[in-house]
Amino acid sequence: MTASVCGYDRPGTHLLQAIPFCGIFGFSQIIATVAGAASATLLDVFEPAEAGRLIRERGIHHVNGTDDLLKRLLDVYPAEERPYPSLRHCVYAAFNPTLADFPAEAERRGLHLIGAFGMTEVFS
């Protein structure tokens, strides 16, 4: 069900796994990707420039992470209005209170954010 709701079962879907598999957030997205028969690019360590390059080069559709992670990803291409046109949506968790304006910036720059509050219940 999660694969379908998140769109991981759409033909050609590709996920950038930018967060560890531990915890419900990282583990559930990779399991949903497998269940949806989507492909994934796995990162040993999140490095914003490399992640940004991979999203653009591979036409990645989904990346999930914290507000800090996604903000750093946008900052790789600060002058571009829509640096990642292939991204369909980003499930995110807001942990950094200094990034209160981030959701508006992300939407303006083409990242469709889906809040991750309650991810344990959603993905379980």
Side-chain angles (χ1 to χ4, degrees):
M1 177 182 222
T2 301
S4 179
V5 169
C6 292
Y8 296 148
D9 61 349
R10 290 172 60 183
T13 294
H14 194 94
L15 167 78
L16 177 70
Q17 181 75 22
I19 58 177
F21 296 154
C22 61
I24 197 73
F25 195 24
F27 179 75
S28 294
Q29 74 185 39
I30 195 66
I31 293 301
T33 300
V34 171
S39 60
T41 294
L42 311 179
L43 300 177
D44 291 334
V45 175
F46 177 75
E47 198 289 313
E50 177 65 6
R53 182 188 68 76
L54 289 168
I55 291 169
R56 291 162 68 123
E57 181 180 282
R58 298 182 181 185
I60 289 174
H61 302 109
H62 301 278
V63 61
N64 306 323
T66 62
D67 49 0
D68 293 272
L69 182 146
L70 295 172
K71 173 69 169 138
R72 290 173 61 204
L73 198 56
L74 278 179
D75 288 348
V76 171
Y77 300 102
E80 292 185 40
E81 188 66 24
R82 297 180 59 86
Y84 306 110
S86 65
L87 285 179
R88 294 181 189 145
H89 74 257
C90 304
V91 176
Y92 89 109
F95 289 117
N96 186 335
T98 66
L99 294 176
D101 295 335
F102 171 71
E105 175 192 1
E107 291 287 341
R108 180 179 55 76
R109 295 191 63 205
L111 296 188
H112 176 66
L113 300 179
I114 297 172
F117 181 80
M119 292 310 289
T120 302
E121 294 77 20
V122 170
F123 278 127
S124 290

